[in-house]
């Protein structure tokens, strides 16, 4: 534990109980670990259900995704891993006090390093323990913020010291601002120093003896003593020195409170009055913290509930607007928690500036805000909600980057006749907000009874989808992509199908939108990729098809994950499918969800040989700009320009198709026509210059067994030649 405090002190000289981020501490652990082993790279990561926190030392940015994937493997296996050839890698899982795996640490080197074979296990286990201690402390940071906020306002000097045993002096690990003003010592000068040798070095022998006795017996003590400041001035203080015990009854820390009583000796009554006043101020501070958010200073959920109950009782109607920032987690993951907190503070200021009369703005959980307005009509609420959503979307600068956040909002129109409890108002606004998110976000929805039914239906559908994932009910169907000049099958596009035991094959239009909204598309997409690569390897063994390519669609959720590229490489290595045989199809909409992360992942994959196709080309609003920035190797014309929604023999938008082909030719990108359903459309696409095509004319998506038979027979080729 001492090392943890030491590392914290190294970062910027501040104490752990202040609002510090976890990442600098983890980076310091990585640096020390790498230096101690004379090794080039180290990494530690905590993997939570909603986010991943990773720190690196010496690991270049382009290798971090791969390194993070190696750590995920250690977490999944919950077992250490060591290899010394051809490159050195040693990893160890990190466990919390309950034995649950919460992350992993690793050491890496481009050299074999057989000299570390014996040292690695014990060293990694020690590093993992330090990381777990930091994580455990980080989990308490929220509570420490509240304590620190209250302690900084206290009129008494307060400091914490770490217990080192009954025969050793405690070491100071925290002091509040009053400590500096009262004692004359700067906090950074006393952190990590002995209590007795630093603060009591000129105290009376009886005082030192009493404190040593308390330490030996781990019992509290209260005394009055004369103290000397560094400048030589004296003051008299009432001092309490109390032990803190852990769950097992072991003393871990000491809390000391000092009150300057130099001027209070003149009047006992004055001391009583001062004590009563400070007690009252402390009670007021605690009452404030009970009803306000520490970060933004806004009222919290408890105060909103009280206000709703009061207003409904008096005026009989009002409205609650509940806002949630869409994909706010990306801000935390990309820029860190400190920047995320700054964004939340700015959003609270924007909402306050738009607050109408008779209203209250509050912060809920995480990235959720609430606004309760008394005596407002529905039309006015709608207008206000639209204005607030536009205000939230105004760009905000974060670390020299201008970003625009979006939000979804739910509105509950409240009357005393409809709602008996204020909690029900917040519940319905929350349901309406999630309904707005399910419709794509960036909008507001007013609660209606049928929305509640929709929410229950959606929950059941998500549960059914998760059961299908767990039971392995998703299968791959494949549609051929052909060479328009020769009729040869060049590639297969893998398409997910849900094989429900009761309903049979479920159309993708039913489950894909739901999976994308719920995030379950990530698990489905991973399984599609794994199965498709295995099937492609077997198909490439069929005569004349050794160069067969595989196309796989990628969702926005997958592209937003920094570990996506590493997972693709893992699948390619496991299946032994060459990288050049894989083509990932991405839509412009998916890329724009998290542009920087998508560009980085696709760039890494492309540099390794993986092909990247822009799917549904022509339907985005900035396709031309993104053609320059993204490593596309082909364009796929959206089917709406080929066959449209109606039955047509010829291509429905020939001018657009020719324009896209010309653009692809100018950029050196082959063009694939999707949705070919007639011989005339196939011929016209070939005449326009499309290199490849797919659609029902060449074959519908079918199971792998049918595709293998088709490849072996060569029937499709013969029909087109």
């Amino acid at each position: 534990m001492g090392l943890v405090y030491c590392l914290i002190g190294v970062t910027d000289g501040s104490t752990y109980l202040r609002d510090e981020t976890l990442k600098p501490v983890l980076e310091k652990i990585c640096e020390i670990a790498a230096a101690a082993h004379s090794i080039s790279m180290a990494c530690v990561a905590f993997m939570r259900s909603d986010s991943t926190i990773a720190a690196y030392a010496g690991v270049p940015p382009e290798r971090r995704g791969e390194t993070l994937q190696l750590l995920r493997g250690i977490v999944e296996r919950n077992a250490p891993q060591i290899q010394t050839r051809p490159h050195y890698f040693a990893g160890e899982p990190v466990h919390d006090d309950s034995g649950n795996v919460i992350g992993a640490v690793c050491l890496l080197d481009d050299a074999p390093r057989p000299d570390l074979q014996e040292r690695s296990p014990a060293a990694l286990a020690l590093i993992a323990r330090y990381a777990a201690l930091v994580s455990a402390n980080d989990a308490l940071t929220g509570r420490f913020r509240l304590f620190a906020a209250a302690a900084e306002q206290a009129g008494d000097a307060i400091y914490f010291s770490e217990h080192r045993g009954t025969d050793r002096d405690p070491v100071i690990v925290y002091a509040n601002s009053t400590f500096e003003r009262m004692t004359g010592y700067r906090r950074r000068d006393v952190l990590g120093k002995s209590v007795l040798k630093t603060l009591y070095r000129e105290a009376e022998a009886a005082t030192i003896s009493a404190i040593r006795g308390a330490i030996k017996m781990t019992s509290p003590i209260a005394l009055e003593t004369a103290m000397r400041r560094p400048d030589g001035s004296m003051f008299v203080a009432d001092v309490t020195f109390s032990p803190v015990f852990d769950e097992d009854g072991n003393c871990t820390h000491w809390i000391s409170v000092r009150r300057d009583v130099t001027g209070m000796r003149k009047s006992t009554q004055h001391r009583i009055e001062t004590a009563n006043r400070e007690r009252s101020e402390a009670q007021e501070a605690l009452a404030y913290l009970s009803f306000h958010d520490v970060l933004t200073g806004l009222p919290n959920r408890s105060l909103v509930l009280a206000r709703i109950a009061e207003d409904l009782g008096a005026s009989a109607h009002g409205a609650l607007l509940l806002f949630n920032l869409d994909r706010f987690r990306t801000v935390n993951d990309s820029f860190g928690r400190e920047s995320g907190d700054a964004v939340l503070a700015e959003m609270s200021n924007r909402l306050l500036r738009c607050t109408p009369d008779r209203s209250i703005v509050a912060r809920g959980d995480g990235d959720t805000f609430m606004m309760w307005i008394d005596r407002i009509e529905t039309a006015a609420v709608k207008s206000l909600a639209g204005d607030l959503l536009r205000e939230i979307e105004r760009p905000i600068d974060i670390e020299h980057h201008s970003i625009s956040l979006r939000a979804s909002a739910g509105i509950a129109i409240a009357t005393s006749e409809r709602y008996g409890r204020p909690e029900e108002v917040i519940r319905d606004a929350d349901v309406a907000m999630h309904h707005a998110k399910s419709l794509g976000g960036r909008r507001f929805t007013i609660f209606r009874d049928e929305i509640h039914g929709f929410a229950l239906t959606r929950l059941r559908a998500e549960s059914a989808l998760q059961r299908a994932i767990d039971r392995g009910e998703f299968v791959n169907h494949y549609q051929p992509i052909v060479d328009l000049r020769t009729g040869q099958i060049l590639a297969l596009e893998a398409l997910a199908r849900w094989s429900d035991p009761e309903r049979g094959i479920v159309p993708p239009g039913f489950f894909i939108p739901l999976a994308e909204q719920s995030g379950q598309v990530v698990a489905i997409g991973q399984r599609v990729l794994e199965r498709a690569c295995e099937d492609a390897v077997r198909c490439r063994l069929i005569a004349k098809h050794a160069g067969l390519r595989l196309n796989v669609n990628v969702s926005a959720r997958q592209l937003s994950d920094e570990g996506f590229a590493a997972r693709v490489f893992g699948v390619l290595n496991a299946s032994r499918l060459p990288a050049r045989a894989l083509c990932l199809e991405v839509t412009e909409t998916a890329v724009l969800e998290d542009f920087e992360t998508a560009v980085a992942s696709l760039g890494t994959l492309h540099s390794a040989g993986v092909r990247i196709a822009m799917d549904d080309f022509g339907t985005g609003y900035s396709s031309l700009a993104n053609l320059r920035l993204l490593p596309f190797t082909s364009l796929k014309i959206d089917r709406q320009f080929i066959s449209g929604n109606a039955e047509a023999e010829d291509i429905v938008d020939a001018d657009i198709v020719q324009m896209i082909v010309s653009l692809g030719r100018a950029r050196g990108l082959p063009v694939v026509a999707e949705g070919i359903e007639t011989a005339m459309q196939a011929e016209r696409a070939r005449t326009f210059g499309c290199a490849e095509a797919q659609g029902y004319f060449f074959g519908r998506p079918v199971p792998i067994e049918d595709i293998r038979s088709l490849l072996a027979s060569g029937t499709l080729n013969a029909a087109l030649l």
Side-chain angles (χ1 to χ4, degrees):
M1 196 65 169
L3 175 60
V4 174
Y5 283 119
C6 178
L7 293 175
I8 294 166
V10 171
T11 58
D12 63 358
S14 59
T15 69
Y16 191 77
L17 295 181
R18 300 179 71 181
D19 187 12
E20 302 296 335
T21 58
L22 177 60
K23 202 165 185 178
V25 183
L26 298 180
E27 289 174 346
K28 185 61 63 176
I29 289 178
C30 289
E31 293 173 8
I32 293 176
H37 293 79
S38 301
I39 203 163
S40 59
M41 292 172 282
C43 175
V44 57
F46 292 112
M47 297 169 185
R48 301 169 178 167
S49 59
D50 60 343
S51 64
T52 296
I53 300 176
Y56 307 90
V59 182
E62 65 271 14
R63 294 181 60 178
R64 292 182 177 180
E66 179 183 358
T67 303
L68 203 57
Q69 183 61 23
L70 292 172
L71 291 180
R72 282 196 175 92
I74 292 174
V75 170
E76 292 172 359
R77 292 188 298 272
N78 192 12
Q81 177 184 347
I82 297 178
Q83 68 177 46
T84 58
R85 297 182 184 281
H87 306 295
Y88 175 75
F89 173 80
E92 176 83 17
V94 177
H95 299 90
D96 61 19
D97 290 339
S98 300
N100 302 310
V101 60
I102 57 174
V105 299
C106 71
L107 302 173
L108 309 94
D109 205 307
D110 290 329
R113 301 302 302 270
D115 56 303
L116 297 178
Q117 179 74 33
E118 299 297 329
R119 296 170 53 197
S120 295
L124 277 171
L126 182 59
I127 297 169
R129 180 55 183 156
Y130 285 143
L133 287 172
V134 174
S135 174
N137 280 332
D138 183 61
L140 297 175
T141 302
R143 298 179 185 175
F144 284 154
R145 285 182 183 144
L146 294 177
F147 167 82
E152 290 299 315
Q153 300 300 318
D156 295 334
I158 301 173
Y159 67 88
F160 277 28
S161 55
E162 183 181 355
H163 184 67
R164 295 297 186 89
T166 57
D167 58 346
R168 299 178 61 189
D169 290 349
V171 172
I172 301 170
V173 296
Y174 167 77
N176 68 351
S177 56
T178 304
F179 175 90
E180 290 188 338
R181 295 193 299 271
M182 183 183 297
T183 67
Y185 288 97
R186 293 184 299 181
R187 283 184 280 189
R188 66 170 178 264
D189 293 335
V190 300
L191 294 181
K193 302 292 182 62
S194 162
V195 171
L196 291 175
K197 293 180 180 178
T198 303
L199 305 180
Y200 293 88
R201 57 185 177 184
E202 295 187 24
E204 297 177 354
T207 298
I208 296 177
S209 177
I211 295 176
R212 289 195 185 279
I215 295 172
K216 186 175 184 63
M217 301 299 294
T218 60
S219 60
I221 186 175
L223 50 87
E224 181 178 287
T225 182
M227 310 292 295
R228 185 183 297 276
R229 299 185 179 92
D231 63 1
S233 62
M234 300 291 295
F235 69 101
V236 179
D238 277 342
V239 178
T240 62
F241 197 64
S242 306
V244 178
F245 300 91
D246 62 18
E247 295 177 353
D248 297 324
N250 299 313
C251 180
T252 61
H253 293 81
W254 294 83
I255 299 178
S256 183
V257 179
R258 291 185 175 192
R259 175 167 299 172
D260 189 346
V261 297
T262 305
M264 295 183 184
R265 283 182 166 180
K266 298 179 181 179
S267 171
T268 303
Q269 183 62 32
H270 178 68
R271 295 181 62 178
I272 295 174
E273 292 175 354
T274 301
N276 288 338
R277 183 178 65 254
E278 291 179 350
R279 185 180 300 109
S280 176
E281 291 173 352
Q283 290 173 346
E284 291 177 1
L286 289 174
Y288 180 85
L289 291 174
S290 298
F291 291 99
H292 289 80
D293 174 57
V294 175
L295 174 64
T296 63
L298 293 176
N300 60 15
R301 186 176 186 271
S302 299
L303 192 54
V304 170
L305 287 171
R307 177 69 177 271
I308 293 174
E310 178 183 351
D311 288 348
L312 286 183
S315 64
H317 76 280
L320 179 70
L321 288 76
L322 190 148
F323 298 87
N324 182 263
L325 301 179
D326 296 333
R327 304 190 74 254
F328 174 73
R329 184 171 65 89
T330 303
V331 176
N332 274 338
D333 292 345
S334 302
F335 300 100
R337 293 183 183 177
E338 185 175 346
S339 295
D341 288 349
V343 169
L344 294 175
E346 170 62 19
M347 291 304 166
S348 70
N349 290 333
R350 293 184 181 185
L351 293 176
L352 285 171
R353 287 196 294 268
C354 300
T355 303
D357 294 336
R358 304 183 309 277
S359 64
I360 178 174
V361 177
R363 183 187 175 196
D365 295 331
D367 54 350
T368 298
F369 294 89
M370 292 177 281
M371 180 181 289
W372 165 256
I373 310 146
D374 183 34
R375 289 174 291 169
I376 188 170
E377 301 303 323
T378 302
V381 171
K382 291 181 178 180
S383 177
L384 176 62
D387 292 342
L388 291 173
L389 289 177
R390 286 187 289 274
E391 178 68 13
I392 289 173
E393 288 187 14
R394 283 197 305 106
I396 181 173
D397 290 331
I398 303 179
E399 297 183 8
H400 308 295
H401 291 81
S402 179
I403 66 169
S404 295
L405 292 176
R406 299 175 179 180
S408 301
I411 303 173
I413 306 298
T415 64
S416 57
E417 293 82 8
R418 178 179 179 87
Y419 293 102
R421 299 170 58 245
E423 290 85 357
E424 296 170 352
V425 180
I426 294 181
R427 177 202 63 196
D428 287 353
D430 186 67
V431 169
M433 180 272 293
H434 281 93
H435 183 64
K437 278 187 177 291
S438 72
L439 297 176
R442 201 183 180 187
R443 67 187 69 201
F444 65 84
T445 300
I446 297 179
F447 179 81
R448 306 183 305 277
D449 289 336
E450 54 265 32
I451 290 180
H452 188 256
F454 173 83
L456 292 176
T457 301
R458 174 186 170 88
L459 180 61
R460 295 190 187 100
E462 288 182 4
S463 299
L465 198 59
Q466 188 59 49
R467 284 194 299 271
I469 295 173
D470 296 338
R471 295 172 181 173
E473 294 177 2
F474 287 93
V475 298
N476 287 3
H477 282 195
Y478 299 90
Q479 186 175 37
I481 301 174
V482 305
D483 187 326
L484 279 174
R485 295 168 300 174
T486 66
Q488 179 185 3
I489 298 178
L490 300 178
L492 301 174
E493 180 175 353
L495 301 165
R497 296 292 185 266
W498 180 0
S499 180
D500 187 277
E502 298 179 358
R503 293 177 289 177
I505 297 297
V506 179
F510 174 80
F511 67 86
I512 289 296
L514 176 62
E516 288 178 340
Q517 294 167 11
S518 66
Q520 293 165 309
V521 71
V522 175
I524 295 173
Q526 181 70 12
R527 296 193 182 191
V528 168
L529 178 64
E530 293 170 353
R531 178 63 60 83
C533 288
E534 294 171 357
D535 289 343
V537 169
R538 287 190 286 269
C539 288
R540 286 164 64 91
L541 297 177
I542 300 174
K544 298 183 181 180
H545 294 288
L548 188 72
R549 303 194 311 267
L550 170 68
N551 284 36
V552 178
N553 293 282
V554 178
S555 69
R557 291 292 187 103
Q558 290 173 286
L559 282 178
S560 299
D561 186 353
E562 293 182 352
F564 172 67
R567 273 196 293 279
V568 173
F569 288 136
V571 173
L572 290 174
N573 291 335
S575 64
R576 300 196 175 183
L577 180 71
R580 65 180 180 278
L582 175 63
C583 178
L584 299 178
E585 297 188 10
V586 299
T587 65
E588 184 180 17
T589 302
V591 170
L592 293 178
E593 283 288 319
D594 189 346
F595 190 76
E596 292 186 1
T597 302
V599 169
S601 296
L602 295 177
T604 299
L605 291 164
H606 178 261
S607 64
V610 176
R611 303 168 191 255
I612 311 295
M614 177 179 273
D615 199 10
D616 302 338
F617 184 76
T619 60
Y621 64 85
S622 60
S623 299
L624 299 180
N626 289 335
L627 275 180
R628 296 184 296 103
L629 300 175
L630 292 162
F632 291 116
T633 55
S634 62
L635 305 178
K636 299 192 74 174
I637 303 177
D638 188 78
R639 63 173 291 113
Q640 72 181 31
F641 304 123
I642 303 295
S643 55
N645 296 322
E647 294 183 2
E649 286 294 318
D650 201 354
I651 291 178
V652 297
D653 285 312
D655 292 341
I656 293 179
V657 171
Q658 291 184 80
M659 181 182 65
I660 294 175
V661 171
S662 299
L663 179 62
R665 186 180 293 117
R667 303 295 301 180
L669 303 175
V671 177
V672 182
E674 291 187 298
I676 298 292
E677 297 185 358
T678 68
M680 181 179 291
Q681 291 172 355
E683 175 58 25
R684 291 271 279 169
R686 185 188 65 79
T687 303
F688 290 159
C690 293
E692 303 170 10
Q694 69 183 103
Y696 286 175
F697 176 67
F698 305 107
R700 293 175 178 269
V702 294
I704 185 60
E705 294 79 10
D706 296 341
I707 284 292
R708 296 188 67 184
S709 299
L710 180 63
L711 293 173
S713 66
T715 305
L716 180 62
N717 293 4
L720 295 175
L721 287 174

